[in-house]
Amino acid sequence: MAMIDIRQLVKRFGTFTAVDGVSFSVERGTVLGFLGPNGAGKSTTMKTITGFLAPTSGSVSVCGFDVEKAPLEAKRRIGYLPEGAPTYPDMTPAGFLDFIADVRGMTRAQRTQAVAGAVERVELGAVLHQPIETLSKGFKRRVGLAQAILHDPEVLILDEPTDGLDPNQKHQVRRLIASMAADKAIVISTHILEEVEAVCTRALIIGRGKVLAEGHPAEGGWRFGDLVAAPGRMDALFRRITTGASDLGEAA
Amino acid sequence: MTGTLSVFRRELAGYFATPVAYVFIVGFLLLAGIFTFYVGGLFERGQADLKPFFMFHPWLYVVMMPAIAMRLWAEERRSGTIELLLTLPVGLGGVVLGKFLAAWAFTAIALALTFPVWITVNLLGDPDNGVIVASYIGSLLMAGGYLAICACLSAATRNQVVAFVVGVVVCLLFTVAGSPIVLDAVAGWAPSVLVDALASFSFLTRFSAIMNGVIDARDAVFFASLIAVWLFANTVVVDANKAG
Ligand SMILES: Nc1ncnc2c1ncn2[C@@H]1O[C@H](COP(=O)(O)OP(=O)(O)O)[C@@H](O)[C@H]1O
Ligand SMILES: [Mg+2]
Protein backbone atom coordinates (compact mmCIF):
# COMPACT_ATOMS: atom_id res chain seq x y z
CA MET A 1 0.00 0.00 0.00
CA ALA A 2 1.26 3.45 -0.87
CA MET A 3 1.66 5.68 2.18
CA ILE A 4 0.52 8.73 0.24
CA ASP A 5 -1.83 8.39 -2.68
CA ILE A 6 -2.97 11.42 -4.66
CA ARG A 7 -5.34 11.16 -7.58
CA GLN A 8 -6.26 13.94 -9.99
CA LEU A 9 -5.84 16.59 -7.33
CA VAL A 10 -7.19 20.00 -8.31
CA LYS A 11 -7.13 23.08 -6.07
CA ARG A 12 -8.61 26.37 -7.20
CA PHE A 13 -8.57 29.72 -5.43
CA GLY A 14 -11.53 31.46 -6.97
CA THR A 15 -10.95 31.13 -10.68
CA PHE A 16 -7.20 30.62 -10.33
CA THR A 17 -6.06 26.99 -10.56
CA ALA A 18 -3.06 26.49 -8.27
CA VAL A 19 -2.94 22.68 -8.57
CA ASP A 20 -4.18 21.25 -11.81
CA GLY A 21 -4.70 17.49 -11.91
CA VAL A 22 -1.74 16.15 -9.95
CA SER A 23 -1.47 12.39 -9.35
CA PHE A 24 1.32 10.47 -7.64
CA SER A 25 1.95 8.06 -4.83
CA VAL A 26 4.75 7.67 -2.30
CA GLU A 27 5.93 4.38 -0.78
CA ARG A 28 7.63 3.78 2.53
CA GLY A 29 11.39 4.36 2.27
CA THR A 30 10.99 7.09 -0.35
CA VAL A 31 12.15 10.68 -0.06
CA LEU A 32 10.22 12.47 -2.76
CA GLY A 33 11.41 15.91 -3.82
CA PHE A 34 9.00 18.54 -5.14
CA LEU A 35 11.04 20.71 -7.43
CA GLY A 36 9.64 23.75 -9.07
CA PRO A 37 9.78 27.50 -9.49
CA ASN A 38 8.01 29.77 -7.02
CA GLY A 39 4.25 29.70 -7.42
CA ALA A 40 4.32 26.25 -9.03
CA GLY A 41 1.83 24.79 -6.54
CA LYS A 42 4.20 22.84 -4.28
CA SER A 43 2.98 24.34 -1.01
CA THR A 44 -0.65 24.15 -2.05
CA THR A 45 -0.26 20.44 -2.82
CA MET A 46 1.31 19.90 0.59
CA LYS A 47 -1.49 21.82 2.30
CA THR A 48 -4.06 19.47 0.82
CA ILE A 49 -2.05 16.37 1.80
CA THR A 50 -1.94 17.57 5.40
CA GLY A 51 -5.64 18.40 5.43
CA PHE A 52 -5.19 22.15 5.87
CA LEU A 53 -6.94 22.90 2.58
CA ALA A 54 -9.73 20.82 1.10
CA PRO A 55 -9.17 19.76 -2.52
CA THR A 56 -11.49 21.30 -5.10
CA SER A 57 -11.62 17.87 -6.71
CA GLY A 58 -9.66 14.65 -6.69
CA SER A 59 -8.60 12.64 -3.68
CA VAL A 60 -5.77 12.45 -1.18
CA SER A 61 -5.20 9.51 1.10
CA VAL A 62 -2.56 8.98 3.75
CA CYS A 63 -1.86 5.46 5.05
CA GLY A 64 -5.16 4.39 3.52
CA PHE A 65 -7.21 7.15 5.16
CA ASP A 66 -8.95 9.67 2.94
CA VAL A 67 -7.87 13.07 4.23
CA GLU A 68 -11.35 14.54 3.75
CA LYS A 69 -13.39 11.63 5.09
CA ALA A 70 -11.14 10.59 7.98
CA PRO A 71 -9.10 13.73 8.67
CA LEU A 72 -8.10 12.89 12.23
CA GLU A 73 -6.85 9.41 11.34
CA ALA A 74 -4.78 10.86 8.52
CA LYS A 75 -3.46 13.76 10.61
CA ARG A 76 -2.30 11.42 13.38
CA ARG A 77 0.05 9.77 10.88
CA ILE A 78 1.48 12.97 9.39
CA GLY A 79 4.27 15.21 10.61
CA TYR A 80 4.19 18.60 8.87
CA LEU A 81 6.61 21.47 8.65
CA PRO A 82 4.71 24.35 7.01
CA GLU A 83 6.61 26.84 4.85
CA GLY A 84 8.60 29.23 7.05
CA ALA A 85 8.27 26.92 10.07
CA PRO A 86 5.68 28.92 12.03
CA THR A 87 5.80 28.51 15.82
CA TYR A 88 4.43 30.42 18.81
CA PRO A 89 7.10 33.07 19.48
CA ASP A 90 6.32 33.64 23.15
CA MET A 91 6.64 29.96 24.07
CA THR A 92 9.89 28.13 24.79
CA PRO A 93 10.78 25.11 22.64
CA ALA A 94 10.14 22.91 25.69
CA GLY A 95 6.67 24.37 26.24
CA PHE A 96 5.84 24.39 22.56
CA LEU A 97 6.84 20.77 21.96
CA ASP A 98 5.01 19.68 25.09
CA PHE A 99 1.89 21.42 23.77
CA ILE A 100 2.13 19.64 20.40
CA ALA A 101 2.62 16.29 22.15
CA ASP A 102 -0.34 17.06 24.40
CA VAL A 103 -2.62 17.85 21.45
CA ARG A 104 -1.49 14.59 19.89
CA GLY A 105 -2.92 12.82 22.92
CA MET A 106 0.26 11.63 24.60
CA THR A 107 0.39 10.98 28.34
CA ARG A 108 2.82 12.92 30.48
CA ALA A 109 5.40 10.11 30.40
CA GLN A 110 5.06 9.71 26.63
CA ARG A 111 5.38 13.45 26.16
CA THR A 112 8.59 13.65 28.16
CA GLN A 113 10.07 10.82 26.15
CA ALA A 114 8.90 12.10 22.76
CA VAL A 115 10.14 15.63 23.41
CA ALA A 116 13.51 14.37 24.66
CA GLY A 117 13.88 12.17 21.58
CA ALA A 118 13.01 14.92 19.08
CA VAL A 119 15.19 17.47 20.88
CA GLU A 120 18.13 15.11 20.65
CA ARG A 121 17.59 14.42 16.95
CA VAL A 122 17.52 18.09 15.98
CA GLU A 123 20.08 19.16 18.62
CA LEU A 124 17.90 21.68 20.36
CA GLY A 125 19.03 21.02 23.94
CA ALA A 126 20.96 24.26 24.37
CA VAL A 127 17.97 26.57 23.86
CA LEU A 128 15.16 24.47 25.28
CA HIS A 129 14.02 27.05 27.83
CA GLN A 130 14.55 30.23 25.85
CA PRO A 131 11.56 31.99 24.23
CA ILE A 132 11.39 30.96 20.57
CA GLU A 133 11.28 34.61 19.43
CA THR A 134 14.83 35.08 20.75
CA LEU A 135 16.26 32.15 18.77
CA SER A 136 18.30 32.29 15.56
CA LYS A 137 16.69 31.27 12.30
CA GLY A 138 18.47 27.91 12.35
CA PHE A 139 17.16 27.07 15.81
CA LYS A 140 13.63 28.22 14.91
CA ARG A 141 13.68 25.87 11.94
CA ARG A 142 14.83 23.05 14.20
CA VAL A 143 11.95 23.72 16.56
CA GLY A 144 9.60 23.33 13.59
CA LEU A 145 11.33 20.11 12.57
CA ALA A 146 11.20 18.73 16.12
CA GLN A 147 7.48 19.43 16.19
CA ALA A 148 7.03 17.53 12.92
CA ILE A 149 8.90 14.39 13.99
CA LEU A 150 7.70 14.39 17.61
CA HIS A 151 5.25 11.52 17.26
CA ASP A 152 7.50 9.50 14.93
CA PRO A 153 5.00 9.82 12.06
CA GLU A 154 4.89 7.45 9.12
CA VAL A 155 4.50 10.34 6.72
CA LEU A 156 6.59 13.51 6.82
CA ILE A 157 5.72 16.58 4.77
CA LEU A 158 8.45 19.22 4.88
CA ASP A 159 7.89 22.47 2.99
CA GLU A 160 11.27 24.03 2.17
CA PRO A 161 12.96 22.58 5.25
CA THR A 162 16.36 24.14 4.49
CA ASP A 163 15.23 27.50 3.12
CA GLY A 164 17.23 30.37 4.60
CA LEU A 165 19.70 28.18 6.48
CA ASP A 166 23.47 28.45 6.18
CA PRO A 167 25.39 25.63 4.44
CA ASN A 168 26.23 23.82 7.69
CA GLN A 169 22.64 23.96 8.86
CA LYS A 170 21.44 22.77 5.45
CA HIS A 171 23.79 19.83 5.71
CA GLN A 172 22.49 18.95 9.18
CA VAL A 173 18.87 19.03 8.11
CA ARG A 174 19.60 16.87 5.07
CA ARG A 175 21.43 14.36 7.26
CA LEU A 176 18.43 14.27 9.59
CA ILE A 177 16.05 13.62 6.70
CA ALA A 178 18.28 10.89 5.31
CA SER A 179 18.51 9.23 8.72
CA MET A 180 14.73 8.97 8.96
CA ALA A 181 14.10 7.89 5.40
CA ALA A 182 14.16 4.12 5.79
CA ASP A 183 10.83 3.60 7.55
CA LYS A 184 8.88 6.66 6.46
CA ALA A 185 7.43 8.25 3.38
CA ILE A 186 8.91 11.75 3.17
CA VAL A 187 8.02 14.60 0.84
CA ILE A 188 10.18 17.72 0.75
CA SER A 189 9.79 20.77 -1.44
CA THR A 190 12.71 22.82 -2.57
CA HIS A 191 13.98 24.94 -5.40
CA ILE A 192 17.54 23.95 -4.69
CA LEU A 193 18.57 21.33 -7.22
CA GLU A 194 21.55 20.04 -5.27
CA GLU A 195 19.19 19.23 -2.42
CA VAL A 196 17.36 16.75 -4.61
CA GLU A 197 20.63 15.02 -5.42
CA ALA A 198 21.65 15.07 -1.77
CA VAL A 199 18.58 13.52 -0.13
CA CYS A 200 15.86 12.48 -2.56
CA THR A 201 15.23 9.05 -4.00
CA ARG A 202 12.66 10.41 -6.45
CA ALA A 203 11.67 13.85 -7.70
CA LEU A 204 8.73 15.54 -9.36
CA ILE A 205 9.25 18.71 -11.30
CA ILE A 206 6.15 20.82 -10.82
CA GLY A 207 5.19 23.88 -12.81
CA ARG A 208 1.94 25.86 -13.13
CA GLY A 209 0.11 23.29 -11.00
CA LYS A 210 1.08 20.28 -13.07
CA VAL A 211 3.62 17.48 -12.76
CA LEU A 212 5.96 18.25 -15.67
CA ALA A 213 8.41 15.40 -15.21
CA GLU A 214 9.28 12.62 -12.84
CA GLY A 215 12.86 11.67 -12.15
CA HIS A 216 15.05 9.25 -10.25
CA PRO A 217 18.77 8.58 -9.89
CA ALA A 218 20.23 6.74 -12.87
CA GLU A 219 23.59 6.29 -14.55
CA GLY A 220 25.33 8.25 -11.82
CA GLY A 221 23.08 11.27 -12.39
CA TRP A 222 19.35 11.81 -12.59
CA ARG A 223 16.99 10.69 -15.33
CA PHE A 224 13.80 12.62 -16.09
CA GLY A 225 11.99 10.78 -18.90
CA ASP A 226 14.49 10.62 -21.75
CA LEU A 227 16.60 13.44 -20.34
CA VAL A 228 19.57 12.61 -18.16
CA ALA A 229 21.50 15.12 -16.07
CA ALA A 230 25.04 14.42 -14.97
CA PRO A 231 25.82 14.90 -11.24
CA GLY A 232 25.61 18.59 -10.35
CA ARG A 233 24.24 19.48 -13.80
CA MET A 234 20.53 19.34 -13.14
CA ASP A 235 19.89 23.07 -13.58
CA ALA A 236 19.86 23.14 -17.37
CA LEU A 237 17.46 20.24 -17.40
CA PHE A 238 15.27 21.98 -14.83
CA ARG A 239 15.18 25.16 -16.92
CA ARG A 240 14.30 23.22 -20.01
CA ILE A 241 11.47 21.37 -18.36
CA THR A 242 9.99 24.35 -16.51
CA THR A 243 10.42 27.02 -19.19
CA GLY A 244 10.79 25.08 -22.41
CA ALA A 245 14.21 26.68 -22.99
CA SER A 246 16.65 24.51 -24.90
CA ASP A 247 20.09 25.57 -23.64
CA LEU A 248 20.67 21.93 -22.96
CA GLY A 249 24.43 21.76 -23.01
CA GLU A 250 25.08 18.70 -20.97
CA ALA A 251 21.76 16.88 -20.79
CA ALA A 252 21.37 14.50 -23.67
CA MET B 1 -11.64 16.32 23.51
CA THR B 2 -8.00 16.01 24.63
CA GLY B 3 -7.08 18.45 21.86
CA THR B 4 -9.66 20.96 23.12
CA LEU B 5 -8.20 20.75 26.61
CA SER B 6 -4.63 21.24 25.37
CA VAL B 7 -5.67 24.28 23.34
CA PHE B 8 -7.54 25.61 26.38
CA ARG B 9 -4.51 25.19 28.63
CA ARG B 10 -2.11 26.79 26.15
CA GLU B 11 -4.34 29.80 25.56
CA LEU B 12 -5.06 30.37 29.22
CA ALA B 13 -1.38 30.10 30.13
CA GLY B 14 -0.69 32.44 27.19
CA TYR B 15 -2.71 35.19 28.90
CA PHE B 16 -0.42 35.02 31.91
CA ALA B 17 2.82 34.61 29.94
CA THR B 18 2.97 38.34 29.27
CA PRO B 19 2.43 41.32 31.59
CA VAL B 20 -0.63 42.14 29.51
CA ALA B 21 -2.74 39.79 31.62
CA TYR B 22 -1.87 41.62 34.81
CA VAL B 23 -2.36 45.04 33.26
CA PHE B 24 -5.71 43.73 32.20
CA ILE B 25 -6.82 42.38 35.51
CA VAL B 26 -5.67 45.51 37.33
CA GLY B 27 -7.43 47.66 34.74
CA PHE B 28 -10.56 45.62 35.11
CA LEU B 29 -10.51 45.95 38.89
CA LEU B 30 -9.78 49.67 38.75
CA LEU B 31 -12.59 50.35 36.32
CA ALA B 32 -14.94 48.19 38.34
CA GLY B 33 -13.93 50.09 41.46
CA ILE B 34 -14.26 53.54 39.90
CA PHE B 35 -17.64 52.75 38.41
CA THR B 36 -18.91 51.25 41.62
CA PHE B 37 -17.73 53.71 44.23
CA TYR B 38 -17.45 57.03 42.39
CA VAL B 39 -19.77 56.93 39.42
CA GLY B 40 -22.25 54.53 40.97
CA GLY B 41 -22.03 56.02 44.45
CA LEU B 42 -22.06 52.78 46.40
CA PHE B 43 -21.52 54.56 49.71
CA GLU B 44 -23.80 57.54 49.15
CA ARG B 45 -26.77 55.39 48.28
CA GLY B 46 -26.85 54.15 51.85
CA GLN B 47 -28.00 50.78 50.66
CA ALA B 48 -25.97 47.61 51.00
CA ASP B 49 -26.13 45.94 47.63
CA LEU B 50 -23.91 45.63 44.57
CA LYS B 51 -26.25 47.07 41.97
CA PRO B 52 -23.97 50.00 41.06
CA PHE B 53 -21.13 47.51 40.66
CA PHE B 54 -22.98 45.18 38.30
CA MET B 55 -24.81 47.93 36.46
CA PHE B 56 -21.62 48.98 34.76
CA HIS B 57 -20.52 45.52 33.74
CA PRO B 58 -22.10 45.61 30.26
CA TRP B 59 -20.22 48.86 29.50
CA LEU B 60 -17.00 47.49 30.92
CA TYR B 61 -17.35 44.38 28.80
CA VAL B 62 -17.92 46.35 25.61
CA VAL B 63 -14.28 47.41 25.89
CA MET B 64 -12.73 44.54 27.84
CA MET B 65 -14.08 41.52 25.98
CA PRO B 66 -12.87 42.65 22.53
CA ALA B 67 -9.44 43.21 24.11
CA ILE B 68 -9.39 39.72 25.61
CA ALA B 69 -10.59 37.98 22.44
CA MET B 70 -8.87 40.02 19.69
CA ARG B 71 -5.73 37.89 19.71
CA LEU B 72 -7.39 34.47 19.58
CA TRP B 73 -7.51 33.96 15.80
CA ALA B 74 -6.06 37.11 14.24
CA GLU B 75 -2.63 36.30 15.65
CA GLU B 76 -2.71 32.66 14.44
CA ARG B 77 -3.55 33.91 10.96
CA ARG B 78 -0.91 36.64 10.96
CA SER B 79 1.93 34.38 12.12
CA GLY B 80 0.90 31.35 10.07
CA THR B 81 0.61 29.10 13.12
CA ILE B 82 -2.99 28.46 12.09
CA GLU B 83 -1.53 26.03 9.54
CA LEU B 84 0.19 24.15 12.32
CA LEU B 85 -2.82 24.18 14.60
CA LEU B 86 -5.32 22.99 12.01
CA THR B 87 -3.13 20.14 10.77
CA LEU B 88 -2.93 18.62 14.25
CA PRO B 89 -5.42 15.84 14.97
CA VAL B 90 -8.14 18.04 16.51
CA GLY B 91 -11.41 19.02 14.89
CA LEU B 92 -11.91 22.69 14.10
CA GLY B 93 -14.87 22.79 16.49
CA GLY B 94 -12.64 21.55 19.28
CA VAL B 95 -10.07 24.30 18.67
CA VAL B 96 -12.76 27.01 18.51
CA LEU B 97 -14.23 25.76 21.79
CA GLY B 98 -10.85 25.49 23.52
CA LYS B 99 -9.91 29.06 22.62
CA PHE B 100 -13.27 30.46 23.64
CA LEU B 101 -13.25 28.63 26.98
CA ALA B 102 -9.75 29.93 27.73
CA ALA B 103 -10.86 33.53 27.17
CA TRP B 104 -13.95 32.90 29.28
CA ALA B 105 -11.92 31.34 32.10
CA PHE B 106 -9.59 34.33 32.07
CA THR B 107 -12.62 36.60 32.41
CA ALA B 108 -13.95 34.45 35.24
CA ILE B 109 -10.64 34.87 37.07
CA ALA B 110 -10.76 38.66 36.64
CA LEU B 111 -14.37 38.68 37.81
CA ALA B 112 -13.56 36.49 40.82
CA LEU B 113 -10.84 38.94 41.84
CA THR B 114 -13.52 41.59 42.44
CA PHE B 115 -14.46 39.73 45.64
CA PRO B 116 -13.18 42.56 47.89
CA VAL B 117 -16.10 44.65 46.64
CA TRP B 118 -18.44 41.93 47.82
CA ILE B 119 -16.72 41.71 51.19
CA THR B 120 -16.94 45.50 51.54
CA VAL B 121 -20.73 45.61 51.21
CA ASN B 122 -21.05 42.75 53.67
CA LEU B 123 -18.98 44.71 56.19
CA LEU B 124 -21.02 47.85 55.61
CA GLY B 125 -24.43 46.31 55.84
CA ASP B 126 -26.54 43.27 55.28
CA PRO B 127 -26.93 42.69 51.52
CA ASP B 128 -28.96 39.94 49.87
CA ASN B 129 -26.12 37.61 48.97
CA GLY B 130 -28.40 35.44 46.85
CA VAL B 131 -28.99 38.38 44.52
CA ILE B 132 -25.26 39.02 44.38
CA VAL B 133 -24.48 35.39 43.46
CA ALA B 134 -27.14 35.51 40.73
CA SER B 135 -25.65 38.75 39.44
CA TYR B 136 -22.15 37.27 39.31
CA ILE B 137 -23.42 34.25 37.37
CA GLY B 138 -25.42 36.48 35.06
CA SER B 139 -22.45 38.75 34.51
CA LEU B 140 -20.21 35.82 33.59
CA LEU B 141 -22.86 34.47 31.22
CA MET B 142 -23.13 37.86 29.56
CA ALA B 143 -19.33 38.08 29.30
CA GLY B 144 -19.43 34.73 27.48
CA GLY B 145 -21.84 36.23 24.96
CA TYR B 146 -19.54 39.18 24.28
CA LEU B 147 -16.51 36.88 24.05
CA ALA B 148 -18.15 34.51 21.56
CA ILE B 149 -18.94 37.50 19.33
CA CYS B 150 -15.41 38.86 19.58
CA ALA B 151 -13.72 35.47 19.05
CA CYS B 152 -15.64 35.08 15.81
CA LEU B 153 -14.71 38.60 14.68
CA SER B 154 -11.07 37.90 15.50
CA ALA B 155 -11.11 35.13 12.89
CA ALA B 156 -12.18 37.57 10.19
CA THR B 157 -8.91 39.51 10.18
CA ARG B 158 -5.14 39.12 10.60
CA ASN B 159 -4.96 42.39 12.47
CA GLN B 160 -5.66 42.42 16.20
CA VAL B 161 -6.40 46.14 16.25
CA VAL B 162 -9.06 45.73 13.57
CA ALA B 163 -10.50 42.80 15.53
CA PHE B 164 -10.65 45.02 18.62
CA VAL B 165 -12.31 48.00 16.98
CA VAL B 166 -14.92 45.94 15.12
CA GLY B 167 -15.48 43.98 18.34
CA VAL B 168 -16.23 47.13 20.32
CA VAL B 169 -18.71 48.34 17.69
CA VAL B 170 -20.59 45.05 17.47
CA CYS B 171 -20.64 44.61 21.26
CA LEU B 172 -22.00 48.12 21.60
CA LEU B 173 -24.79 47.30 19.15
CA PHE B 174 -25.78 44.22 21.13
CA THR B 175 -25.64 46.19 24.36
CA VAL B 176 -27.86 49.09 23.39
CA ALA B 177 -30.19 47.17 21.07
CA GLY B 178 -33.05 47.42 23.58
CA SER B 179 -32.44 50.88 24.99
CA PRO B 180 -35.23 53.47 24.62
CA ILE B 181 -33.14 55.65 22.30
CA VAL B 182 -32.62 52.84 19.81
CA LEU B 183 -36.14 51.45 20.09
CA ASP B 184 -37.75 54.86 19.65
CA ALA B 185 -35.60 55.54 16.65
CA VAL B 186 -36.59 52.26 15.05
CA ALA B 187 -40.24 52.24 16.12
CA GLY B 188 -40.93 55.21 13.87
CA TRP B 189 -40.61 53.15 10.68
CA ALA B 190 -40.10 49.46 11.46
CA PRO B 191 -42.87 46.91 12.07
CA SER B 192 -43.41 46.11 15.73
CA VAL B 193 -42.19 42.51 15.26
CA LEU B 194 -38.78 43.87 14.34
CA VAL B 195 -38.78 46.27 17.26
CA ASP B 196 -39.62 43.41 19.64
CA ALA B 197 -36.94 41.21 18.08
CA LEU B 198 -34.40 43.98 18.46
CA ALA B 199 -35.38 44.54 22.06
CA SER B 200 -35.04 40.84 22.81
CA PHE B 201 -31.40 40.93 21.66
CA SER B 202 -30.44 43.57 24.16
CA PHE B 203 -27.81 42.46 26.64
CA LEU B 204 -28.71 45.42 28.80
CA THR B 205 -32.37 44.44 29.18
CA ARG B 206 -31.51 40.79 29.85
CA PHE B 207 -28.87 41.65 32.38
CA SER B 208 -30.93 44.15 34.32
CA ALA B 209 -33.48 41.43 34.97
CA ILE B 210 -30.71 39.20 36.28
CA MET B 211 -29.37 42.01 38.48
CA ASN B 212 -32.64 42.04 40.33
CA GLY B 213 -31.85 38.56 41.51
CA VAL B 214 -33.82 36.38 39.14
CA ILE B 215 -32.01 34.27 36.60
CA ASP B 216 -34.89 33.61 34.26
CA ALA B 217 -34.41 30.39 32.28
CA ARG B 218 -35.18 32.35 29.12
CA ASP B 219 -32.33 34.76 29.74
CA ALA B 220 -29.92 31.91 30.46
CA VAL B 221 -31.06 30.14 27.29
CA PHE B 222 -30.65 33.38 25.37
CA PHE B 223 -27.02 33.81 26.34
CA ALA B 224 -26.26 30.09 25.92
CA SER B 225 -27.71 29.97 22.42
CA LEU B 226 -26.08 33.26 21.51
CA ILE B 227 -22.72 31.75 22.48
CA ALA B 228 -23.47 28.56 20.52
CA VAL B 229 -24.49 30.47 17.39
CA TRP B 230 -21.42 32.72 17.44
CA LEU B 231 -19.07 29.79 18.05
CA PHE B 232 -20.58 28.00 15.10
CA ALA B 233 -20.12 31.16 13.04
CA ASN B 234 -16.54 31.19 14.33
CA THR B 235 -15.82 27.78 12.74
CA VAL B 236 -17.36 28.94 9.47
CA VAL B 237 -15.31 32.15 9.42
CA VAL B 238 -12.06 30.31 10.24
CA ASP B 239 -12.72 27.77 7.53
CA ALA B 240 -13.51 30.42 4.95
CA ASN B 241 -10.46 32.57 5.73
CA LYS B 242 -7.72 30.11 6.65
CA ALA B 243 -6.24 29.85 3.15
CA GLY B 244 -5.23 33.48 2.80
N1 LIG C 1 -4.81 31.38 -0.48
C1 LIG C 1 -4.53 31.64 -1.76
N2 LIG C 1 -5.35 32.42 -2.48
C2 LIG C 1 -5.08 32.70 -3.78
N3 LIG C 1 -4.04 32.24 -4.46
C3 LIG C 1 -3.16 31.46 -3.80
C4 LIG C 1 -3.36 31.11 -2.42
N4 LIG C 1 -2.36 30.31 -2.02
C5 LIG C 1 -1.56 30.17 -3.10
N5 LIG C 1 -2.03 30.84 -4.16
C6 LIG C 1 -1.44 30.89 -5.52
O1 LIG C 1 -1.27 29.57 -5.97
C7 LIG C 1 -0.04 29.45 -6.67
C8 LIG C 1 0.76 28.32 -6.08
O2 LIG C 1 1.24 28.72 -4.82
P1 LIG C 1 2.16 27.79 -3.92
O3 LIG C 1 1.52 26.46 -3.81
O4 LIG C 1 2.42 28.51 -2.65
O5 LIG C 1 3.49 27.71 -4.81
P2 LIG C 1 4.93 27.16 -4.43
O6 LIG C 1 4.89 26.60 -3.04
O7 LIG C 1 5.23 26.14 -5.46
O8 LIG C 1 5.85 28.33 -4.53
C9 LIG C 1 0.64 30.80 -6.60
O9 LIG C 1 0.43 31.48 -7.81
C10 LIG C 1 -0.06 31.50 -5.46
O10 LIG C 1 -0.10 32.89 -5.69
MG1 LIG D 1 5.91 27.22 -1.36
Side-chain angles (χ1 to χ4, degrees), chain A residues 42-43 83 159-160 189:
Chain A
K42 305 182 294 293
S43 295
E83 194 168 4
D159 199 349
E160 302 194 2
S189 76

Side-chain angles (χ1 to χ4, degrees), chain A residues 13 16 18 36-45 47 83 159-160, chain B residues 243-244:
Chain A
F13 297 107
F16 178 77
N38 286 323
K42 305 182 294 293
S43 295
T44 306
T45 304
K47 285 174 196 187
E83 194 168 4
D159 199 349
E160 302 194 2

Side-chain angles (χ1 to χ4, degrees), chain B residues 9-238:
Chain B
R9 276 196 296 263
R10 195 195 80 78
E11 292 287 344
L12 187 57
Y15 281 112
F16 293 97
T18 62
V20 176
Y22 303 97
V23 171
F24 236 80
I25 288 180
V26 170
F28 184 85
L29 297 185
L30 271 178
L31 282 175
I34 290 169
F35 274 141
T36 308
F37 295 106
Y38 292 95
V39 187
L42 185 75
F43 295 126
E44 290 78 14
R45 287 171 71 241
Q47 208 177 334
D49 66 20
L50 278 184
K51 241 188 178 154
F53 171 65
F54 286 112
M55 219 158 62
F56 289 104
H57 279 199
W59 305 106
L60 209 58
Y61 289 166
V62 164
V63 181
M64 287 306 218
M65 297 304 114
I68 290 176
M70 65 186 183
R71 185 192 70 148
L72 287 178
W73 289 98
E75 187 58 19
E76 300 267 4
R77 287 187 54 196
R78 191 193 60 76
S79 69
T81 45
I82 189 169
E83 203 169 325
L84 200 73
L85 191 60
L86 298 187
T87 51
L88 290 169
V90 213
L92 177 54
V95 180
V96 166
L97 188 65
K99 280 178 174 278
F100 165 75
L101 289 177
W104 207 9
F106 180 73
T107 309
I109 292 169
L111 196 58
L113 288 175
T114 62
F115 72 93
V117 183
W118 188 355
I119 292 177
T120 308
V121 286
N122 269 287
L123 292 176
L124 292 177
D126 187 21
D128 184 340
N129 282 316
V131 171
I132 294 179
V133 169
S135 302
Y136 264 113
I137 294 173
S139 176
L140 189 58
L141 210 52
M142 178 172 64
Y146 285 119
L147 280 175
I149 293 171
C150 296
C152 177
L153 295 174
S154 158
T157 170
R158 296 158 166 271
N159 185 325
Q160 294 193 43
V161 178
V162 172
F164 174 77
V165 172
V166 177
V168 170
V169 171
V170 176
C171 286
L172 200 59
L173 289 178
F174 271 88
T175 307
V176 300
S179 72
I181 308 172
V182 174
L183 292 184
D184 289 349
V186 175
W189 50 272
S192 64
V193 191
L194 189 72
V195 178
D196 290 347
L198 196 63
S200 75
F201 267 104
S202 169
F203 280 29
L204 220 48
T205 318
R206 301 264 171 196
F207 187 59
S208 43
I210 293 174
M211 268 192 317
N212 288 323
V214 271
I215 301 189
D216 191 323
R218 273 173 307 181
D219 293 328
V221 167
F222 167 78
F223 282 118
S225 24
L226 184 103
I227 291 172
V229 166
W230 278 95
L231 289 186
F232 177 72
N234 194 339
T235 62
V236 173
V237 173
V238 171

